[in-house]
Amino acid sequence: SSELTQDPAVSVALGQTVIITCQGDSLRTYYASWYQQKPGQAPVLVLYGRNNRPSGIPDRFSGSSSGNTASLTITGAQAEDEGDYYCDSRDTSGNHGRVFGGGTKLTVL
Amino acid sequence: QVQLEQSGSELKKPGASVKVSCKASGFTFRNYVMNWVRQAPGQGLEWMGWINTNTGNPTYAQGFTGRFGFSLDTSVSTAYLQISSLKAEDTAVYYCARFHCSGGSCYLDYWGQGTRVTVSS
């Protein structure tokens, strides 16, 4: 299966901007989507497509993509943004299903 | 509103089987592919596969063939995950999630609350 690579951990000062990245060859062709997961909770979709937020997701969350890298940017990080963030995209090998990145643990200082 | 309601936690012995349910409401079940995702303790998300709710055709990711089975009961808008010959390493939280595609992108837009399966003697 194809792979998506994320930094294991990132930290940001309260109110500052943080970028979480996701790298993989499939991202040259397919969009990534992004999920936030807080301890003991199910993942929640926060970004999809070129730069789309589901209803209820704050506009401090934005996305971009260049080459084989997709990025999730949080502008003005809040304490409630702390959690694990996962990217996913199409698996370009085998059954053409989905593949997740390993996840990035975001700490808001 | 869209909801995916999963069955409760399970404690099973090695070698047993388990069946997890995911009941959908608030949307037309047959219009969406249903996915299953595993999260082992302290680990990341792992895509297990999906099932086409129109045809009943399942697709399994590598590592989830053989002991894992996806099924449906469309009369009650419910997807099922069955795991047979359980092993300790099957201990995890299992999520169902709805797959949606629009505007050239695809994503898992709604998730169940998760079902914890613990395999222990």
Side-chain angles (χ1 to χ4, degrees), chain A residues 42-92:
Chain A
V44 173
L45 176 70
V46 294
L47 274 178
Y48 63 93
R50 185 183 298 274
N51 181 20
N52 302 106
R53 286 174 286 106
S55 173
I57 302 301
D59 61 5
R60 63 179 178 271
F61 289 86
S62 63
S64 63
S65 184
S66 177
N68 72 337
T69 302
S71 300
L72 165 68
T73 299
I74 307 175
T75 303
Q78 302 299 302
E80 60 263 33
D81 300 334
E82 192 164 279
D84 296 323
Y85 289 82
Y86 295 91
C87 59
D88 96 317
S89 188
R90 179 169 172 154
D91 184 347
T92 52

Coordinates of all heavy atoms in Angstrom, one line a residue, chain A residues 42-92:
Chain A
A42 N -13.9 9.8 19.1 CA -13.7 9.4 17.7 C -13.1 10.5 16.9 O -13.2 11.7 17.3 CB -15.1 9.0 17.1
P43 N -12.5 10.2 15.8 CA -11.9 11.2 15.0 C -13.1 12.1 14.4 O -14.2 11.7 14.2 CB -11.2 10.5 13.8 CG -10.9 9.1 14.4 CD -12.1 8.8 15.4
V44 N -12.7 13.4 14.1 CA -13.6 14.3 13.5 C -13.0 14.9 12.3 O -11.8 15.3 12.3 CB -14.0 15.4 14.5 CG1 -14.8 16.5 13.8 CG2 -14.7 14.9 15.7
L45 N -13.7 14.9 11.2 CA -13.2 15.5 10.0 C -13.1 17.0 10.1 O -14.1 17.7 10.5 CB -14.2 15.2 8.8 CG -13.8 15.8 7.4 CD1 -12.6 15.2 6.8 CD2 -15.0 15.7 6.5
V46 N -11.9 17.6 9.8 CA -11.7 19.1 10.0 C -11.4 19.8 8.7 O -11.7 21.0 8.5 CB -10.6 19.4 11.0 CG1 -11.0 19.0 12.4 CG2 -9.3 18.8 10.6
L47 N -10.9 19.0 7.7 CA -10.6 19.6 6.4 C -10.7 18.5 5.3 O -10.3 17.4 5.5 CB -9.2 20.2 6.3 CG -8.9 21.6 6.8 CD1 -7.4 21.9 6.7 CD2 -9.7 22.6 6.0
Y48 N -11.1 19.0 4.1 CA -11.1 18.0 3.0 C -11.0 18.8 1.7 O -11.2 20.0 1.7 CB -12.4 17.2 3.0 CG -13.7 18.0 2.8 CD1 -14.2 18.2 1.5 CD2 -14.3 18.5 3.9 CE1 -15.4 18.9 1.4 CE2 -15.5 19.2 3.7 CZ -16.0 19.4 2.5 OH -17.2 20.1 2.3
G49 N -10.6 18.1 0.6 CA -10.5 18.7 -0.7 C -9.4 19.8 -0.7 O -8.4 19.8 0.1
R50 N -9.6 20.8 -1.6 CA -8.5 21.8 -1.8 C -8.4 22.6 -0.4 O -7.3 22.8 0.0 CB -8.9 22.7 -2.9 CG -7.9 23.8 -3.2 CD -8.4 24.7 -4.3 NE -8.7 24.0 -5.5 CZ -7.8 23.7 -6.5 NH1 -6.5 24.1 -6.3 NH2 -8.1 23.1 -7.6
N51 N -9.5 23.0 0.1 CA -9.4 23.7 1.4 C -10.8 23.9 1.9 O -11.3 25.1 1.9 CB -8.7 25.1 1.2 CG -8.6 25.9 2.5 OD1 -8.7 25.3 3.6 ND2 -8.3 27.2 2.4
N52 N -11.5 22.9 2.3 CA -12.9 22.9 2.7 C -13.0 22.5 4.1 O -12.5 21.4 4.5 CB -13.7 22.0 1.8 CG -13.6 22.4 0.3 OD1 -12.9 21.7 -0.5 ND2 -14.2 23.5 -0.1
R53 N -13.8 23.2 4.9 CA -14.1 22.9 6.2 C -15.6 22.4 6.4 O -16.5 23.1 5.9 CB -13.9 24.1 7.1 CG -12.4 24.4 7.4 CD -12.3 25.7 8.2 NE -12.6 26.9 7.4 CZ -13.7 27.6 7.4 NH1 -14.6 27.3 8.3 NH2 -13.9 28.6 6.7
P54 N -15.8 21.3 7.1 CA -17.2 20.9 7.4 C -17.8 22.0 8.3 O -17.1 22.8 8.9 CB -17.0 19.6 8.1 CG -15.7 19.1 7.8 CD -14.8 20.3 7.6
S55 N -19.1 22.0 8.3 CA -19.9 22.9 9.1 C -19.4 22.7 10.6 O -19.3 21.6 11.0 CB -21.4 22.6 9.0 OG -22.1 23.3 9.9
G56 N -19.2 23.8 11.2 CA -18.9 23.8 12.6 C -17.4 23.8 12.9 O -17.0 24.0 14.1
I57 N -16.6 23.7 11.9 CA -15.1 23.7 12.1 C -14.7 25.2 12.0 O -15.0 25.8 11.0 CB -14.4 22.8 11.1 CG1 -14.8 21.4 11.2 CG2 -12.9 22.9 11.2 CD1 -14.6 20.7 12.5
P58 N -13.9 25.7 12.9 CA -13.5 27.1 12.9 C -12.7 27.5 11.7 O -11.9 26.6 11.2 CB -12.7 27.3 14.2 CG -13.2 26.1 15.1 CD -13.5 25.0 14.2
D59 N -12.8 28.7 11.3 CA -12.0 29.1 10.1 C -10.5 29.3 10.4 O -9.8 29.7 9.5 CB -12.6 30.4 9.5 CG -12.6 31.6 10.4 OD1 -12.1 31.5 11.5 OD2 -13.2 32.6 10.0
R60 N -10.1 29.1 11.6 CA -8.6 29.1 11.9 C -8.0 27.9 11.3 O -6.7 27.8 11.2 CB -8.3 29.2 13.4 CG -8.8 28.1 14.2 CD -8.4 28.3 15.7 NE -8.9 27.3 16.6 CZ -10.0 27.3 17.2 NH1 -10.8 28.4 17.0 NH2 -10.4 26.3 18.0
F61 N -8.7 26.9 10.9 CA -8.2 25.7 10.2 C -8.2 25.9 8.7 O -9.3 26.2 8.1 CB -9.1 24.4 10.6 CG -8.9 24.0 12.0 CD1 -9.7 24.5 13.0 CD2 -8.0 23.0 12.3 CE1 -9.6 24.1 14.3 CE2 -7.9 22.5 13.6 CZ -8.6 23.1 14.6
S62 N -7.1 25.7 8.1 CA -7.0 25.8 6.6 C -6.1 24.8 6.1 O -5.2 24.3 6.8 CB -6.6 27.3 6.2 OG -5.3 27.5 6.7
G63 N -6.2 24.6 4.8 CA -5.4 23.6 4.1 C -4.7 24.0 2.9 O -5.2 25.0 2.2
S64 N -3.7 23.4 2.5 CA -3.0 23.6 1.2 C -2.3 22.4 0.8 O -2.1 21.4 1.6 CB -2.1 24.8 1.3 OG -1.0 24.5 2.2
S65 N -1.8 22.4 -0.5 CA -1.1 21.3 -1.0 C -0.1 21.7 -2.0 O -0.4 22.7 -2.8 CB -2.1 20.3 -1.6 OG -1.4 19.1 -2.0
S66 N 1.1 21.1 -2.1 CA 2.1 21.4 -3.1 C 2.9 20.1 -3.3 O 3.5 19.6 -2.3 CB 3.0 22.5 -2.6 OG 4.0 22.8 -3.6
G67 N 2.9 19.7 -4.5 CA 3.7 18.5 -4.9 C 3.2 17.3 -4.1 O 2.0 17.0 -4.1
N68 N 4.1 16.7 -3.3 CA 3.7 15.5 -2.6 C 3.3 15.8 -1.1 O 3.3 14.9 -0.3 CB 4.8 14.4 -2.6 CG 6.0 14.8 -1.8 OD1 6.2 15.9 -1.5 ND2 6.7 13.8 -1.4
T69 N 3.1 17.1 -0.8 CA 2.9 17.5 0.6 C 1.6 18.2 0.7 O 1.3 19.2 0.0 CB 4.0 18.3 1.1 OG1 5.3 17.6 1.0 CG2 3.8 18.7 2.6
A70 N 0.8 17.7 1.7 CA -0.4 18.5 2.1 C -0.2 19.1 3.5 O 0.5 18.4 4.3 CB -1.6 17.5 2.1
S71 N -0.8 20.2 3.7 CA -0.5 20.9 5.0 C -1.9 21.3 5.6 O -2.8 21.8 4.9 CB 0.3 22.2 4.7 OG 1.6 21.8 4.2
L72 N -1.9 21.2 6.9 CA -3.0 21.7 7.7 C -2.4 22.9 8.5 O -1.4 22.7 9.3 CB -3.5 20.6 8.6 CG -4.5 21.0 9.8 CD1 -5.8 21.6 9.2 CD2 -4.7 19.9 10.7
T73 N -3.0 24.0 8.4 CA -2.6 25.2 9.2 C -3.6 25.6 10.2 O -4.8 25.7 9.8 CB -2.3 26.4 8.2 OG1 -1.2 26.0 7.3 CG2 -1.8 27.6 9.0
I74 N -3.2 25.8 11.4 CA -4.1 26.4 12.4 C -3.5 27.8 12.8 O -2.4 27.9 13.3 CB -4.1 25.5 13.7 CG1 -4.5 24.1 13.3 CG2 -5.1 26.1 14.7 CD1 -4.4 23.1 14.5
T75 N -4.3 28.8 12.4 CA -3.9 30.2 12.6 C -4.5 30.7 13.9 O -5.7 30.9 14.0 CB -4.3 31.0 11.4 OG1 -3.8 30.5 10.2 CG2 -3.8 32.5 11.6
G76 N -3.7 30.9 14.9 CA -4.2 31.4 16.2 C -4.6 30.1 17.0 O -5.8 30.0 17.3
A77 N -3.7 29.2 17.2 CA -4.1 28.0 17.9 C -4.7 28.2 19.3 O -4.2 29.1 20.1 CB -2.9 27.0 18.0
Q78 N -5.7 27.4 19.6 CA -6.4 27.5 20.9 C -6.1 26.2 21.7 O -5.8 25.2 21.1 CB -7.9 27.7 20.7 CG -8.3 28.9 19.9 CD -7.8 30.2 20.5 OE1 -8.2 30.5 21.7 NE2 -7.0 31.0 19.9
A79 N -6.4 26.3 23.0 CA -6.1 25.2 23.8 C -6.9 24.0 23.4 O -6.5 22.8 23.5 CB -6.4 25.5 25.3
E80 N -8.1 24.2 22.9 CA -9.0 23.1 22.5 C -8.6 22.4 21.2 O -9.1 21.4 20.8 CB -10.5 23.6 22.4 CG -10.7 24.7 21.4 CD -10.7 26.0 22.0 OE1 -10.0 26.3 23.0 OE2 -11.5 26.9 21.5
D81 N -7.6 23.0 20.5 CA -7.0 22.4 19.3 C -6.0 21.3 19.6 O -5.6 20.5 18.7 CB -6.4 23.4 18.4 CG -7.3 24.5 18.0 OD1 -8.5 24.3 17.9 OD2 -6.8 25.6 17.7
E82 N -5.7 21.1 20.9 CA -4.7 20.1 21.2 C -5.3 18.7 21.0 O -6.5 18.5 21.3 CB -4.3 20.2 22.7 CG -3.2 19.4 23.1 CD -2.6 19.8 24.5 OE1 -1.8 20.8 24.5 OE2 -2.9 19.2 25.5
G83 N -4.5 17.8 20.4 CA -5.0 16.5 20.1 C -4.1 15.9 19.0 O -3.1 16.4 18.7
D84 N -4.6 14.8 18.5 CA -3.9 14.1 17.4 C -4.6 14.4 16.1 O -5.8 14.5 16.0 CB -4.0 12.6 17.6 CG -3.2 12.1 18.9 OD1 -2.2 12.7 19.2 OD2 -3.7 11.2 19.5
Y85 N -3.7 14.6 15.1 CA -4.2 15.0 13.8 C -3.7 13.9 12.8 O -2.5 13.6 12.7 CB -3.8 16.4 13.3 CG -4.5 17.4 14.1 CD1 -4.0 17.8 15.4 CD2 -5.6 18.1 13.6 CE1 -4.7 18.8 16.1 CE2 -6.2 19.1 14.3 CZ -5.8 19.4 15.6 OH -6.4 20.4 16.3
Y86 N -4.7 13.4 12.0 CA -4.4 12.4 11.0 C -4.8 12.9 9.6 O -5.8 13.5 9.4 CB -5.1 11.1 11.2 CG -4.8 10.4 12.5 CD1 -5.4 10.7 13.7 CD2 -3.7 9.5 12.6 CE1 -5.1 10.1 14.9 CE2 -3.4 8.9 13.8 CZ -4.1 9.2 14.9 OH -3.7 8.6 16.1
C87 N -3.9 12.6 8.6 CA -4.3 12.8 7.2 C -4.7 11.5 6.6 O -4.3 10.4 7.1 CB -3.2 13.5 6.4 SG -1.6 12.5 6.3
D88 N -5.5 11.5 5.6 CA -5.7 10.3 4.8 C -5.9 10.7 3.4 O -6.2 11.9 3.0 CB -6.9 9.5 5.4 CG -8.2 9.8 4.7 OD1 -8.6 11.0 4.4 OD2 -9.0 8.8 4.4
S89 N -5.8 9.7 2.5 CA -5.9 10.0 1.1 C -6.2 8.6 0.4 O -6.2 7.6 1.1 CB -4.7 10.7 0.5 OG -5.0 11.0 -0.9
R90 N -6.3 8.6 -0.9 CA -6.5 7.4 -1.6 C -5.2 6.6 -1.6 O -4.1 7.1 -1.8 CB -6.9 7.7 -3.0 CG -7.1 6.5 -3.9 CD -7.8 6.8 -5.2 NE -7.8 5.7 -6.1 CZ -8.7 5.5 -7.0 NH1 -9.7 6.4 -7.2 NH2 -8.7 4.4 -7.8
D91 N -5.3 5.3 -1.4 CA -4.2 4.4 -1.6 C -4.1 4.1 -3.1 O -5.0 3.5 -3.7 CB -4.5 3.1 -0.8 CG -3.3 2.1 -0.8 OD1 -2.4 2.3 -1.6 OD2 -3.3 1.2 0.0
T92 N -2.9 4.5 -3.7 CA -2.8 4.3 -5.1 C -2.2 3.0 -5.5 O -1.9 2.7 -6.7 CB -1.8 5.4 -5.6 OG1 -0.6 5.4 -4.9 CG2 -2.5 6.8 -5.5

